Amino acid sequence: MSEDRTDAIDPRALDAPTASGFRLTVIEGGEPTTFEATSPRCAVGTHASNDLRLDDSCVSRFHCEIRLEGPEARVRDLGSRNGTVIDGVSVVEAFLRSGSTIKAGAVTLRFELLGQVRRVPMSTRRSFHGLVAESVAMRVALALVERAAGSDLTVLLEGETGTGKGKVAEAIHRGSARNGKPFVVVDCGAIPQNLIESELYGHEKSAFTGATERRLGAFEEADGGTIFLDEIGELPIDQQPKLLRALESREIRRVGSNLHKKVDVRIVAATNRDLRREVNEARFRADLYFRLAVLRLTLPPLRERADDLPLLAEELLASLGAKPEEIRALCTPEFLASLQRGAWPGNVRELRNHLERCLAFEEALPIGEELAARREVAAVDPTVPYAEARRRAIEAFEQAYVKALLAHHDGKPSQAAAAAGIDRVYLYKLARRHR
């Protein structure tokens, strides 16, 4: 496999008859070309790793992506310089119909669904080293996790926050030939920038102020096993070339040392960002992306795994220390049905928090309890002057929004501010104002 080739794997397709693929035809702005995709995803751009490569200076390296979701297809712009236009309308994401035109730069493509039928392979297991898989989406994912565990390829896990990427990384390690060797986790978003190099590669005594003794880094600690680089999209741009060199040479050099040391590690990385968009916006190096994304695996969100919720609930309650009789008392059919109706924007992490509250109160709390409480706080009081009522409403909204925003992004202000479209300094002010 060449260094710039990525196997894109999306487990969210269904094990049911669906369009086997689609056809893209260049009808304007380039050499007449026809491309037929038979996988659920197709990336379009100027880089050679795209499924459909376009030779146009106005097209971004990773311009847009087309993916099949059951019988439907949708296109998503990947933060391209000049945007993606569908049937004359500029879009960020949109559904496609057979016959739609897609304009990227000066190139116009015609999109056509193919009518054949295909089925997606699923694992025959319902669990794998701690992963629960009763739903179709997760059983498809499990088949790919098993395949990843059976190889020594570098894996990039993608998916929304809270989908359990860390648990999947551990399952890949435990199911691999490296089981029994170290599994070392590095949270790239939680390490202060001035300590990242030391955390990853180690340092010698007196290498910097405070380095009172030699320290092994994560790569050396994981020698023979697996290193899990969580939140890899948070790695500062100036640290990315050093990580790239370590991945390419499997050699590291401690801070303060002139000697290079060979390490035998398997790399699994995870992110809730679209790193191709980050590459387009010059926040992530393209060469590092390709070193990490040898095998891409996208995890399904909890809302697409309703059938997994009963097993997940029991497993999470047990991990929280609940006794068997407490689990039986709480997991009634009515309670489990209410869990399956939830949207769970925070995915498994949110489910765990909810179950922990239910266990503490010894009752099945409604999922919307917190939202209802916020609405009650913000209820209108007609006896209060308008200006004061407006101030209270804004204050209540700011406090609830900032709390939920930071919780959704695991307390990471930079990521939260970017997602909310506000300046990080302003987010700090809001957080301090509402304590």
Side-chain angles (χ1 to χ4, degrees):
M1 183 177 294
S2 68
E3 66 177 26
D4 280 359
R5 186 62 193 170
T6 295
D7 289 339
I9 296 176
D10 187 348
R12 290 177 289 178
L14 299 178
D15 183 38
T18 181
S20 64
F22 48 87
R23 180 183 296 117
L24 294 172
T25 306
V26 177
I27 59 175
E28 187 179 328
E31 290 293 325
T33 305
T34 298
F35 172 80
E36 290 193 357
T38 55
S39 63
R41 289 184 174 220
C42 172
V44 179
T46 60
H47 197 278
S49 69
N50 287 284
D51 301 286
L52 176 57
R53 183 178 181 276
L54 301 178
D55 186 14
D56 180 70
S57 60
C58 295
V59 175
S60 296
R61 280 184 290 188
F62 299 102
H63 199 95
C64 63
E65 178 185 69
I66 299 164
R67 66 182 185 270
L68 293 175
E69 297 177 349
E72 298 176 323
R74 67 169 74 200
V75 64
R76 182 165 63 95
D77 184 80
L78 297 175
S80 63
R81 294 190 307 274
N82 298 309
T84 301
V85 178
I86 307 300
D87 296 327
V89 179
S90 182
V91 303
V92 174
E93 187 166 358
F95 286 102
L96 291 168
R97 58 178 177 81
S98 198
S100 287
T101 59
I102 304 170
K103 188 169 184 180
V107 179
T108 302
L109 309 168
R110 183 172 61 246
F111 170 84
E112 297 171 282
L113 278 170
L114 301 179
Q116 295 91 347
V117 171
R118 67 176 168 86
R119 290 185 178 274
V120 177
M122 295 192 304
S123 174
T124 57
R125 309 186 195 201
R126 260 50 179 191
S127 64
F128 183 76
H129 295 288
L131 300 180
V132 173
E134 193 66 39
S135 66
V136 169
M138 198 57 195
R139 285 176 62 199
V140 172
L142 194 56
L144 303 173
V145 170
E146 292 170 349
R147 187 188 306 173
S151 74
D152 212 30
L153 294 175
T154 300
V155 178
L156 178 63
L157 302 175
E158 299 174 307
E160 297 176 9
T161 183
T163 48
K165 294 184 284 291
K167 200 164 187 178
V168 171
E170 188 174 358
I172 290 173
H173 170 73
R174 291 173 60 191
S176 74
R178 295 177 180 266
N179 185 31
K181 298 293 185 178
F183 177 74
V184 178
V185 179
V186 178
D187 187 342
C188 299
I191 305 171
Q193 187 167 345
N194 62 326
L195 295 179
I196 287 177
E197 194 171 351
S198 174
E199 287 289 328
L200 288 174
Y201 317 117
H203 65 254
E204 297 290 348
K205 182 179 179 180
S206 303
F208 50 83
T209 303
T212 57
E213 58 184 21
R214 190 179 72 171
R215 181 185 186 279
L216 298 184
F219 272 85
E220 283 189 84
E221 289 178 353
D223 196 21
T226 302
I227 185 169
F228 175 45
L229 302 174
D230 198 11
E231 301 293 351
I232 190 65
E234 305 296 323
L235 189 68
I237 192 75
D238 64 316
Q239 290 293 331
Q240 293 176 19
K242 298 172 186 177
L243 177 59
L244 177 63
R245 286 195 294 273
L247 297 183
E248 287 180 332
S249 65
R250 290 298 195 269
E251 283 186 343
I252 58 95
R253 181 171 62 84
R254 299 190 195 115
V255 178
S257 172
N258 294 321
L259 300 177
H260 288 78
K261 179 178 175 57
K262 283 284 186 183
V263 288
D264 172 26
V265 293
R266 197 260 178 92
I267 311 294
V268 179
T271 180
N272 59 7
R273 297 187 181 193
D274 190 325
L275 293 187
R276 293 167 302 177
R277 179 186 292 271
E278 300 295 299
V279 169
N280 282 342
E281 296 176 0
R283 291 196 294 262
F284 204 86
R285 289 177 61 106
D287 46 8
L288 177 57
Y289 168 75
F290 289 115
R291 278 294 179 187
L292 294 169
V294 177
L295 188 66
R296 285 173 55 218
L297 202 163
T298 305
L299 300 179
L302 191 56
R303 60 184 173 274
E304 296 179 12
R305 301 176 53 193
D307 291 343
D308 293 333
L309 277 161
L311 286 175
L312 268 177
E314 292 181 8
E315 183 186 88
L316 290 171
L317 285 168
S319 72
L320 291 168
K323 299 174 182 177
E325 57 270 22
E326 291 176 312
I327 296 176
R328 285 194 298 271
L330 188 58
C331 291
T332 64
E334 295 77 18
F335 177 66
L336 294 176
S338 73
L339 295 183
Q340 290 177 312
R341 291 192 297 269
W344 304 113
N347 293 295
V348 178
R349 187 177 294 118
E350 182 184 358
L351 174 64
R352 179 187 175 90
N353 293 341
H354 178 70
L355 292 173
E356 191 169 9
R357 288 193 297 273
C358 293
L359 191 61
F361 285 97
E362 298 182 343
E363 63 175 311
L365 301 173
I367 295 171
E369 182 182 63
E370 292 180 12
L371 180 60
R374 288 177 196 155
R375 286 174 177 165
E376 185 178 337
V377 170
V380 173
D381 183 354
T383 65
V384 176
Y386 170 78
E388 177 62 16
R390 182 174 182 273
R391 185 193 65 78
R392 291 182 185 179
I394 291 174
E395 187 174 89
F397 164 75
E398 284 182 350
Q399 185 173 23
Y401 182 81
V402 170
K403 183 179 179 182
L405 178 69
L406 289 170
H408 184 66
H409 293 282
D410 302 327
K412 296 171 184 171
S414 297
Q415 185 175 323
I422 59 178
D423 186 83
R424 185 175 59 178
V425 175
Y426 182 59
L427 178 60
Y428 280 128
K429 287 181 179 179
L430 288 176
R432 283 197 296 270
R433 181 187 305 165
H434 300 292
R435 300 183 183 177

